[in-house]
Amino acid sequence: MKRRILMRSILWVLLLGSAPLSGQETAPSPVGNKAKLLKLASGFSFTEGPSADKQGNIYFTDQDNNKILKWSVEGELSVFSDQSGRANGLYFDQHGMLWACSDQNNEIWCFDAKGQPTIYLTDGYLNKKLNGPNDLWVTPDGTIYFTDPYYKRDWWNHAREDQQNTQQVYGFKPGSRELTRLTDDLLQPNGIVGSPDGKYLYIADIQDGKTWKYTIQPDGTLGEKMLFAEMGSDGMTMDEKGNLYLTGNGVTIFNPKGIKIAHIPVEARWTSNVAFGGKRRNLLFITATESIYQLEMNVRGAK
């Protein structure tokens, strides 16, 4: 059932504590001592997939309602697409094109600036549908990596046996559309993000409760697999310092060594994803169940 979007300037304010977490390093936190978490808008079904364009506008999804929405740098909410293919995770490439994990038919879509989509992947893998592309990241050279966990959707008509019998990570180049399975030992990969230099890929295995760091080989395949954190995640992002932000129970921040340095509590049943945006890219946008939030940070998002 669709619910009316309720716009509110500030519904509630949460002061974030400045004391370090038990067992963590006491390096300066990317979260300010007086930072205030603001609820920007509510009344959605399930928010996901925030990603910023070059101007800092944030695009996010309301998957159950088949929409991609835009929160502008001026603080205005609008609908970017109301036929998104049930988009989940989003990511802007270097050319300003918005890529989407659209699992209505288990596909990858790409939207232009006017919200018009091109459907890129339709045939699945090895003559079977993908499980349901969930989250994706685009390298500086345009290679696209995405996770393919299985979450049964109410809008599917096909049977489970029509899909992949394993939940893994895939990659492809838009020019060829040739899909490659890049992992074979994950349980349920979900969140994914890479380093700005394109050398490393971080993948959260939410069922295994771990986040892994992989080297990206010159041919785009994945090399050494290293344990980064003993925590899974839904979506994730990275800041300019190389800190990694994992979601689920609020937002948990790990430094480049994989040590927990901060936690951002969010009063929601589930925190699904996170991204930096705003004119200075120092605003952290958090999607959490029916709402989207904003938090001013001491750092900017990775470029």
Side-chain angles (χ1 to χ4, degrees):
M1 180 174 63
K2 294 185 178 180
R3 286 168 284 183
R4 195 161 64 94
I5 297 174
L6 303 176
M7 296 300 301
R8 308 175 190 181
S9 57
I10 301 175
L11 295 184
W12 52 269
V13 174
L14 178 64
L15 293 177
L16 301 175
S18 58
L21 297 173
S22 176
Q24 73 180 39
E25 289 189 343
T26 56
S29 172
V31 185
N33 291 342
K34 297 182 180 180
K36 298 177 181 180
L37 185 66
L38 308 179
K39 184 184 287 189
L40 300 176
S42 190
F44 307 102
S45 290
F46 190 82
T47 57
E48 248 286 8
S51 184
D53 64 15
K54 291 182 179 180
Q55 290 72 44
N57 304 299
I58 282 286
Y59 294 70
F60 65 99
T61 62
D62 185 7
Q63 188 177 28
D64 291 357
N65 287 321
N66 201 19
K67 291 181 179 180
I68 299 176
L69 300 116
K70 174 184 175 182
W71 182 270
S72 73
V73 292
E74 290 81 21
E76 297 176 351
L77 183 70
S78 60
V79 176
F80 176 71
S81 172
D82 59 4
Q83 294 296 323
S84 71
R86 302 282 185 176
N88 194 335
L90 305 174
Y91 199 87
F92 276 97
D93 67 16
Q94 298 293 322
H95 304 290
M97 303 295 285
L98 182 62
W99 292 86
C101 290
S102 296
D103 73 11
Q104 179 170 304
N105 293 307
N106 312 76
E107 298 166 337
I108 300 292
W109 288 23
C110 183
F111 292 84
D112 65 18
K114 296 181 179 180
Q116 296 300 312
T118 297
I119 303 175
Y120 263 79
L121 295 180
T122 60
D123 297 330
Y125 182 75
L126 298 180
N127 299 316
K128 286 191 174 185
K129 287 181 174 291
L130 293 165
N131 291 317
N134 187 280
D135 201 6
L136 76 169
W137 178 72
V138 186
T139 69
D141 70 0
T143 301
I144 296 170
Y145 296 95
F146 68 91
T147 57
D148 187 46
Y150 178 79
Y151 297 105
K152 180 67 172 69
R153 304 303 191 190
D154 293 339
W155 45 84
W156 287 347
N157 295 318
H158 54 266
R160 178 68 180 108
E161 53 266 26
D162 296 330
Q163 297 172 259
Q164 303 299 313
N165 60 4
T166 184
Q167 303 177 64
Q168 303 302 329
V169 174
Y170 297 82
F172 73 98
K173 293 183 180 297
S176 68
R177 305 193 188 190
E178 182 179 347
L179 194 59
T180 301
R181 182 181 285 170
L182 298 168
T183 61
D184 60 10
D185 61 351
L186 299 176
L187 299 182
Q188 194 173 45
N190 200 315
I192 188 169
V193 75
S195 59
D197 58 11
K199 292 183 178 179
Y200 299 101
L201 188 67
Y202 297 82
I203 301 170
D205 191 337
I206 196 167
Q207 184 173 326
D208 197 26
K210 294 179 174 62
T211 295
W212 301 94
K213 178 181 178 180
Y214 294 81
T215 57
I216 299 177
Q217 307 287 66
D219 64 355
T221 58
L222 301 184
E224 183 181 6
K225 177 183 179 182
M226 300 160 280
L227 180 63
F228 179 78
E230 292 276 0
M231 177 180 169
S233 183
D234 196 338
M236 60 174 70
T237 195
M238 181 176 286
D239 69 25
E240 62 185 348
K241 304 293 185 181
N243 299 314
L244 196 66
Y245 295 62
L246 306 185
T247 59
N249 176 19
V251 179
T252 305
I253 308 173
F254 293 82
N255 71 12
K257 297 179 181 179
I259 298 172
K260 183 166 62 175
I261 59 172
H263 179 258
I264 302 169
V266 179
E267 289 189 358
R269 291 183 290 109
W270 182 255
T271 300
S272 62
N273 216 324
V274 63
F276 281 88
K279 293 180 179 180
R280 298 178 57 238
R281 298 189 75 87
N282 67 326
L283 300 178
L284 190 67
F285 290 84
I286 303 168
T287 52
T289 318
E290 297 92 356
S291 306
I292 182 168
Y293 301 81
Q294 175 188 292
L295 179 66
E296 186 173 355
M297 303 293 287
N298 289 333
V299 293
R300 301 184 184 188
K303 292 184 178 180

